[in-house]
């Protein structure tokens, strides 16, 4: 798999649908090609700050089930080559969960989440868009789950799920 992400200046909400075959998921390995252009990488509860020649913070590695905020000084592309991560099992807790979308093909948000997962959610937020759970479906500006994007899922209770395959 080949993940090619066109990142803008400032904050980008991303995830990875492929990770290196050599299993080097370190922040310095994954984001090293961005050089000094990347300021920091944040996931749910952890951060990695780029000091030029070293990374500091509690975030050491990326994972297939997590979403990330990546902050850049200027627009740049990020490429990661590796093996596909899907299917990914997600264990969500009550409240806000920053998760990945593990497929290289996008799909409609209502098709991507299984019905039992939708019943345990109140909303899904993407970068600049959101969808409220409306009965057994969604309403709002977030209509698709896109490859390479991360999402905040607001859970009403703890639950586990896997996305439906596109």
């Amino acid at each position: 798999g080949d993940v090619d992400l066109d990142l803008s200046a400032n904050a980008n909400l991303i995830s990875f649908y492929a990770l290196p075959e050599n299993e080097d998921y370190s922040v310095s390995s994954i984001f090293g090609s961005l050089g000094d252009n990347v300021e920091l990488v944040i996931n749910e509860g952890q951060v990695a700050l780029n000091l030029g020649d070293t990374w500091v913070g509690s975030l050491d590695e990326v994972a297939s089930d997590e979403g990330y905020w990546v902050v850049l000084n200027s627009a740049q592309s990020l490429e990661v080559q590796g093996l596909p991560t899907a299917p990914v099992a997600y264990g969500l807790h009550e409240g806000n969960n920053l998760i990945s979308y593990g497929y290289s093909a996008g799909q409609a948000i209502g098709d991507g989440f299984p019905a039992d997962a939708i019943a345990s959610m109140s909303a899904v937020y993407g970068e600049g868009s959101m969808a409220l759970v409306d009965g057994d479906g969604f309403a709002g500006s977030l209509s698709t789950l896109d490859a390479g994007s991360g999402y905040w899922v607001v859970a009403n209770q703890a639950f586990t799920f896997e996305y439906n395959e596109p």
Side-chain angles (χ1 to χ4, degrees):
D2 188 16
V3 179
D4 292 315
L5 302 176
D6 291 325
L7 305 177
S8 61
N10 299 312
N12 300 268
L13 183 53
I14 69 166
S15 68
F16 299 97
Y17 51 85
L19 287 169
E21 187 174 4
N22 68 4
E23 297 184 7
D24 182 0
Y25 305 157
S26 67
V27 171
S28 60
S29 174
I30 299 295
F31 297 101
S33 65
L34 299 175
D36 290 341
N37 190 29
V38 60
E39 291 183 21
L40 58 104
V41 178
I42 304 168
N43 74 350
E44 183 185 336
Q46 296 180 308
V47 65
L49 177 65
N50 184 4
L51 297 179
D53 59 348
T54 188
W55 288 84
V56 297
S58 56
L59 179 61
D60 296 320
E61 293 187 335
V62 301
S64 62
D65 62 341
E66 296 179 354
Y68 300 92
W69 284 104
V70 179
V71 180
L72 299 180
N73 293 310
S74 60
Q76 188 174 352
S77 293
L78 174 64
E79 182 179 320
V80 176
Q81 294 180 346
L83 298 174
T85 60
V88 176
Y90 298 88
L92 279 61
H93 55 82
E94 185 177 354
N96 299 324
N97 298 266
L98 183 54
I99 67 170
S100 66
Y101 174 70
Y103 287 100
S104 61
Q107 62 182 316
I109 189 171
D111 295 337
F113 287 102
D116 58 340
I118 295 171
S120 298
M121 300 164 31
S122 60
V124 179
Y125 293 84
E127 185 180 332
S129 60
M130 65 90 60
L132 289 174
V133 174
D134 183 19
D136 59 354
F138 294 93
S141 60
L142 179 61
S143 59
T144 61
L145 299 169
D146 297 316
S149 293
Y151 297 94
W152 284 103
V153 174
V154 182
N156 297 324
Q157 61 188 4
F159 69 98
T160 59
F161 82 100
E162 290 183 10
Y163 288 109
N164 294 322
E165 187 173 349

